[in-house]
Every structure is written in C-alpha cells, then in structure tokens.
Amino acid sequence: GRQGGPPGRRPRGGQSQGGTPGPKVSPKDVNNYPKAGLYDPAVLRTVFIEFDTETWEEDMAKFKDTDVEMPATVTVDGKKYPMVGVKFRGQSSFGHVPAGSKRSLNLSMDFINRDQRLYGYKTINLLNCNGDASFLSSILYSHLAADYLPTPKANIMKVVINGESWGVYSNVQQYNKDFLKEYYGTTAGARWKVPGSPQADGGLRYLGEDIDPYRQRFEIKSKDQEDSWKALINLCRVLNETPPRDLPKAIEPILNVEGVLRFLAIDVAVVNSDGYWTRASDYSIYLDTSGMFHIIPHDMNEAFRGGGPPRGGFDGPPDFPGPDLGAGGPPDARSQGAPQGFPGFGRTGGRGGFGRTRPPGGGRGHGDSTLDPLVGLDTVRMPLRSRLLAVPQYRTRYLQYIRTLAEKGLTHKNLSPVIAHYRELIGDEVKIDTRKRTPYEGFTQATSPLQENGMATQGSLNDFIGKRRSFLMAHAEIKDVGAVDVEQLTLPKQPTLKRNAKITIAISEFLASNKRTNRDPQGEFEDWIELFNHGKTDIDLSGMHLSDDKDNLSKWKIPSGTIIKAGGYLVIWADEDGGAEGLHANFKLSKAGEMIFLIKDETIVDQIEFGPQISEVSSGRLSVPNGKLEKLRPTPGTPNQSYK
C-alpha cells in the first residue's frame, strides 16, 4: 500500500501542509442532531469511528485498491452502529496525500447488516477537500445545480477516529440505489460511474460493438447485464454516427437531452476542473427502466476554482490522447503524432490544444473565470458537447442555460449567504483541524465575505463568482440570448397500487431455501415460486411482473405469451439464471424473509410477506387465494400439501 504520494497542485489559499495529531473528543463533548437530516446544511454533525486497532490507517492503505473494508463501530448523535465497513476512497485525494494527513473515507453502513442505515442512507462519503481550502466546492456546486437536475447532496461533517479529531470533511451523497429512489422513485435500472484520470476517455465515443472497450472506460455499479451494455453502445453509436440534422429524432427517445444540456452548462459555468469538458470523465450515467439515459454530476470538488496545472499532467501515451480543451488548434498542433480524429492534440500553443497547450481561460486543463463556455465543440472525445451542440436548437438551449445560470444562479445574492453560513458554522473547527492540507489562513481568505464597497477579496470564492458571472454575461454568444424559466425538480411518487380480484392468479407456494429438494431444468437446486390459476378461464401473464422489492415492482417481466390454464400451475425459478431453459427470475429469495409481489401495470395481482424460512420446507396456501400462509411439503407444479 502507498503511504503517501507526490504533492497535488497548489491549493487555493496557500501551500499544503502535513498532518499532526488532533485533540481528543468524546461523544459527550459534541451536540447531537437526531431530528436533522443527514445532509441538513444547518448543523455540523460529528461521526465517531472506532477501530479495534491503532494501525487502522496503515492497514486501510494496504487494502486501498481492493474490495476489503475495515470493520468499525460508528457513533452518530449518541447512537452506535456496529460493524460498519470503512475504507479510503479516491485517487489523487489518496495518492497525493501523505500518511497522517486527511484522506477521503467511505463508510458502508450495510457492511454486515444489509438493513443498517444512517438516517436512511447506506453509504457515507467523507471527502478530504484536498486542494480546496474553503471545503465548499462540492457544497456550492450541489446548491447551484440542485434546481436543474438530480445532484448529490452535500454538507460538512466532523470526523473523530479512535477518540481523536480528524477535523471536518465534505459529506457528499453516494450515487447508488438510495439516490435513484430519492430522485427517480425506483431502484431499478442500470448505473455506471465514469472514473476519472488525466487521460480518461469516458466521453461516450463509439468504439464498435464489442463490449470490452466500454468496460475499460465505464464502471458498472448495478448488476452487470449484457443488455445494459448493448443499450450503452447503442447510445454511443447514435450519438456519434447520426448526422446533426437527424440527431434529435434519433437521440431523444434514448437520452434525456434536456438534462444533458443542463449538466453541460453547469459543468462549464462553475469551471469544474474534474468535469466532462476537461477530462471526458467524472460523471455518472443512469439507464432507467423505460430505456432512457440520464447524465448525473459526480465529482464536484474542483469547481469554483482558478487555474493551475492538473495533477500529473495530461501527457498520455501516443495511442491514448489526453483532453482536447479547445475548439480546434492550428495545423501544426494537429500533426504531432495525434491519433486520427482527435483535433487539437499537440504540444504547441493555440486555442485548441491540450497536453502542454493552454486552453482558453486558465492553466493547462483547469480553466479559470474566463473559461470559454463553447470550449471543445469539435472534440470527438466529448460527443455530448461536440455532437449535441452541433445541433442548432441544442446549442441555443445550452447557451440559454448558461445565461440563466450566470444571471440567476452564479450571483452573490444566491451563493454568498451559503459561503458566509459555512464560514461561521465550521470556522472554529477548521482553525483547530490539525489534519487539513492547507493552513487556516487559506480558509479565511477563500471564504472572505464581500467588503462594504461590494468588492471581493482577491482569490476568494466571492471573487471567482463575481468574475465568472461578469465574463459569462459579456460573452458574445450569451449576452444576446435570454434566460429561461427552469422547472423545479419534483420528486416522483410511487403509484398507488390497488388489488384486482378479476385476475385469478395467486402466489400459491414458494421455497426460499432449496439445497437438495427440487432441481431446475439445468439440474441445480434453486429457489422457486409457484403461481396458480384459481379461475375458470386460461390467463395470459403477458405484461405482468414478479418482484421481491417494493421499490422496484417491475423487477422481472414475465415473458410474453406465458399462459396458465384454468386450474393450472406455473413454476418460476428465483435464481438469476436468465436465458436458461425454463422461467428464471432475475432475483433470489431470502431465507431470512422478505416480500413477493405479482404486479400487472399499477395493479397488485397478489403479494406475500414471509419471515425466516427452514431449508427444504416450502410455504404457501392450502386454500388459494385467501388462505393463510402455512408450512408445506415442497410440491412445485402440483396441489399443495401440509407439512404436518
């Protein structure tokens, strides 16, 4: 494991510094906020992490690039949470930070207990804000973007490890099923994270039909299914190979273009130096159950900053180009070993270069308050910009969002109170924080309020906000477009389900722990669910779904043309063996107990809730459909028999 690494780029507000032991803190020394939400901006909550070893930092560093987590007891607001998994997270925020200094942490509340949550959330991300003396980049990004699209929430938490204060961290919401449920009303669908590096290539280029090149660029976070990858490949193909005049008709059925334009506008407006515009990475992708793709912000901690060299530079190997930050460079910049189709590759000056070429408005790949909002419009590595913004109506809409952000969002009226609030809330803690990477003077400078004459302290957040807004409002292509009214996000609501007694199908029996009793067509002992048609007519199950998740009632679609004759039975194997002979649902049953739903459209056909199960003993109803749940002898496909 790496114990440190080279220093990162100079943080705004002062040079980096090493960490030293912090003051001792116990739960009785802090305020508790049991009624406040996890991301409530009004409170500074303390999380206590207790490892059973003093070498926890060294041990976690060794396992940084594995799936191993360190078990710990976590205490928040006086409540203890046992067996929480803890590990270091991030790349540069780990490798560029020496041992003993603040590194980013990931807490898995459900490490052992799958139902354990902290105020409704199973994953906690605590970011060290490396290079951000203000600690507020992610918070300001989230505050600004939340009115435009689903965005991870963020606030500040104090961390105490083995009784010692490690100072304040940015607490940023994880992109997982909890996030999907909150913003999309379901946990279903496919999720990808687009990991970042200076040579990243996750901009959605079309790389052919083979899945492997996409696996190298996109990290799937949901179940790895071939159909999900095929849909992603199709998105890339349509995006990259459809002529601009035909693109709206082809792309709008599969991509939430309006949301993407908002994402692109925010990404550039706040000069997110870990953003899509600079590295074609560091964002998230969601494919919903209707087949629509959504682009979601991910890495927000390098926004609202000035220029500076990127960590590690952008000098990738010749066959793996780094980011093209401009709209095209001079001919000589395109002729120095650039891979075909990557304009702007080279090491000379010019508006469109990268590598050692200065992009417009800022140093080598980071940009500053004068970053051109039309950067990268002919960059094939970033087709969300180069292809979508080649469509006239999309370009106009994008510029309108930039104007709206500058006029209404990127203002001192909107953002200065947020800065002032957190300056007051965390200022004393930052002052005594011995593990932070920048001196306290960096924090006070970065969060400096406006002066009485309305002027901002040079290098402060307020300074950046004022300069960025002025630049955008005066931009030649933005000053003549009007702002638009942005619809506020409304959280989805689950449909109200009602029973339909006219559909004579019931869940008659199931076996949730089958180790030696019944074999599926492949000869394997698997869980199963039995449906029974208690009516007098045959029933076509087309359009019905089975699920074991109340938040995802359309989890498994029963194949079209599946019919149960009157008085007949149907056995479905709950084993995740899709594609095999027979009917195989894409979920397994829990021996510990759960629920099974049979759904048609927004109607409950039947549902069963069961507790802990005994191996080789099934459960079901002797009297269908209204009988009580009883222990049975497993009889899949035939009438039920009592276990007694």
Side-chain angles (χ1 to χ4, degrees):
R2 295 168 292 179
Q3 296 303 306
R9 67 186 180 92
R10 179 176 178 174
R12 178 182 58 217
Q15 296 283 1
S16 61
Q17 60 183 21
T20 59
K24 294 291 184 179
V25 184
S26 70
K28 63 181 175 55
D29 298 326
V30 304
N31 293 324
N32 294 328
Y33 305 97
K35 295 183 179 181
L38 185 63
Y39 299 100
D40 190 329
V43 304
L44 178 59
R45 179 177 271 119
T46 303
V47 53
F48 291 85
I49 303 172
E50 193 72 26
F51 296 104
D52 61 4
T53 174
E54 292 301 321
T55 62
W56 62 269
E57 186 181 11
E58 179 182 351
D59 295 342
M60 286 211 310
K62 292 177 181 178
F63 293 112
K64 166 64 175 63
D65 296 320
T66 74
D67 60 357
V68 176
E69 299 180 58
M70 287 278 290
T73 298
V74 169
T75 302
V76 180
D77 293 332
K79 181 178 179 180
K80 288 189 175 182
Y81 300 83
M83 298 302 292
V84 174
V86 185
K87 66 184 301 182
F88 288 127
R89 56 159 291 144
Q91 297 301 323
S92 59
S93 63
F94 174 82
H96 291 185
V97 177
S101 290
K102 185 180 303 185
R103 287 166 166 170
S104 298
L105 302 170
N106 177 278
L107 277 60
S108 299
M109 302 303 298
D110 62 342
F111 178 52
I112 297 298
N113 179 0
R114 59 185 290 184
D115 296 323
Q116 184 166 263
R117 299 289 188 272
L118 178 59
Y119 293 109
Y121 296 90
K122 66 179 181 180
T123 304
I124 312 301
N125 289 319
L126 300 171
L127 308 186
N128 65 351
C129 301
N130 187 39
D132 177 17
S134 75
F135 291 89
L136 299 182
S137 291
S138 294
I139 289 171
L140 292 176
Y141 187 118
S142 178
H143 177 84
L144 183 63
D147 288 338
Y148 290 79
L149 71 170
T151 305
K153 299 175 182 176
N155 66 354
I156 299 289
M157 290 184 76
K158 179 179 177 179
V159 175
V160 177
I161 302 178
N162 283 5
E164 178 201 321
S165 174
W166 278 71
V168 294
Y169 288 69
S170 179
N171 173 36
V172 179
Q173 185 179 6
Q174 174 82 351
Y175 172 60
N176 57 12
K177 287 185 177 181
D178 295 337
F179 182 93
L180 295 185
K181 180 66 188 316
E182 186 169 348
Y183 287 101
Y184 296 96
T186 179
T187 60
R191 293 175 287 118
W192 290 267
K193 171 187 172 183
V194 189
S197 73
Q199 290 83 32
D201 188 32
L204 296 174
R205 287 195 300 127
Y206 178 56
L207 306 167
E209 294 298 307
D210 185 16
I211 294 176
D212 286 344
Y214 299 91
R215 291 187 186 277
Q216 297 170 9
R217 292 159 171 82
F218 305 95
E219 181 182 346
I220 194 162
K221 308 300 290 186
S222 54
K223 186 177 180 182
D224 192 331
Q225 295 182 320
E226 185 177 355
D227 287 348
S228 300
W229 288 106
K230 288 181 177 179
L232 183 66
I233 292 172
N234 178 62
L235 171 66
C236 294
R237 182 176 55 250
V238 172
L239 178 62
N240 288 270
E241 299 199 337
T242 307
R245 66 179 181 276
D246 300 324
L247 190 56
K249 183 177 180 180
I251 199 73
E252 288 180 9
I254 60 173
L255 178 67
N256 178 5
V257 175
E258 191 76 5
V260 173
L261 296 176
R262 296 182 181 193
F263 165 79
L264 295 176
I266 294 167
D267 193 49
V268 163
V270 302
V271 194
N272 181 17
S273 296
D274 263 350
Y276 183 90
W277 70 270
T278 179
R279 304 205 307 189
S281 64
D282 295 282
Y283 65 99
S284 299
I285 303 172
Y286 172 48
L287 173 62
D288 69 24
T289 55
S290 71
M292 182 73 70
F293 279 93
H294 305 263
I295 302 299
I296 298 167
H298 167 64
D299 201 336
M300 309 180 292
N301 68 334
E302 289 206 26
F304 293 88
R305 303 201 198 181
R311 299 182 186 127
F314 283 130
D315 300 328
D319 60 344
F320 195 82
D324 174 7
L325 302 175
D332 60 339
R334 299 171 181 265
S335 60
Q336 301 187 27
Q340 185 174 0
F342 285 85
F345 187 92
R347 304 180 185 277
T348 61
R351 183 172 184 268
F354 69 106
R356 295 177 184 169
T357 304
R358 285 182 63 88
R364 300 193 319 188
H366 279 267
D368 61 16
S369 60
T370 62
L371 174 69
D372 189 346
L374 295 176
V375 62
L377 294 193
D378 61 357
T379 306
V380 297
R381 291 181 66 253
M382 304 171 190
L384 289 177
R385 293 190 62 82
S386 59
R387 300 293 296 172
L388 288 182
L389 299 186
V391 178
Q393 62 262 41
Y394 293 164
R395 178 177 172 132
T396 298
R397 189 67 168 171
Y398 166 80
L399 292 172
Q400 288 176 323
Y401 280 131
I402 294 284
R403 173 61 185 254
T404 305
L405 283 161
E407 183 178 315
K408 300 180 179 181
L410 201 64
T411 66
H412 289 132
K413 180 180 179 180
N414 182 36
L415 299 177
S416 294
V418 180
I419 300 169
H421 164 71
Y422 278 102
R423 179 184 170 96
E424 175 69 21
L425 182 69
I426 68 175
D428 289 343
E429 290 293 341
V430 174
K431 190 173 185 177
I432 63 172
D433 185 346
T434 62
R435 303 285 184 173
K436 61 181 179 293
R437 296 286 290 144
T438 53
Y440 175 64
E441 292 73 22
F443 170 78
T444 57
Q445 179 194 20
T447 60
S448 296
L450 294 173
Q451 301 171 26
E452 290 185 3
N453 61 3
M455 300 295 292
T457 301
Q458 185 174 0
S460 67
L461 288 167
N462 278 308
D463 184 37
F464 172 87
I465 291 165
K467 289 178 178 178
R468 185 60 175 153
R469 182 177 190 271
S470 295
F471 176 82
L472 293 176
M473 293 292 287
H475 189 277
E477 294 203 43
I478 294 175
K479 64 182 181 180
D480 293 329
V481 300
V484 295
D485 292 328
V486 179
E487 293 184 7
Q488 294 286 324
L489 287 172
T490 55
L491 299 181
K493 296 182 179 180
Q494 285 288 90
T496 301
L497 297 172
K498 298 180 179 180
R499 289 186 175 273
N500 187 342
K502 296 181 179 179
I503 303 176
T504 60
I505 302 295
I507 302 168
S508 61
E509 186 181 2
F510 62 89
L511 182 57
S513 182
N514 178 16
K515 300 185 182 300
R516 61 178 185 273
T517 301
N518 308 115
R519 297 180 185 268
D520 67 4
Q522 291 70 46
E524 300 171 334
F525 295 107
E526 302 287 4
D527 301 343
W528 50 264
I529 301 167
E530 177 191 80
L531 304 182
F532 175 59
N533 181 358
H534 54 88
K536 297 181 180 180
T537 59
D538 299 350
I539 298 291
D540 186 349
L541 303 185
S542 299
M544 293 190 191
H545 293 81
L546 267 178
S547 177
D548 65 341
D549 185 352
K550 64 181 180 181
D551 295 327
N552 180 15
L553 295 175
S554 58
K555 197 166 187 178
W556 182 69
K557 185 177 181 179
I558 299 176
S560 179
T562 302
I563 296 174
I564 304 183
K565 293 186 176 295
Y569 297 86
L570 180 71
V571 175
I572 298 167
W573 300 93
D575 57 3
E576 301 180 339
D577 285 351
E581 178 187 350
L583 295 175
H584 298 263
N586 60 356
F587 60 88
K588 296 183 178 182
L589 298 180
S590 172
K591 182 181 177 181
E594 57 177 337
M595 298 187 72
I596 306 173
F597 301 89
L598 179 62
I599 303 293
K600 181 176 176 59
D601 301 323
E602 296 184 0
T603 298
I604 293 178
V605 178
D606 195 15
Q607 70 178 42
I608 280 180
E609 182 173 4
F610 62 92
Q613 298 292 293
I614 303 172
S615 293
E616 321 314 321
V617 177
S618 63
S619 295
R621 299 155 168 160
L622 290 174
S623 175
V624 179
N626 297 316
K628 67 178 182 178
L629 205 61
E630 300 183 32
K631 294 179 181 179
L632 303 174
R633 299 182 184 277
T635 57
T638 60
N640 295 345
Q641 299 179 16
S642 174
Y643 183 72
K644 298 178 182 179

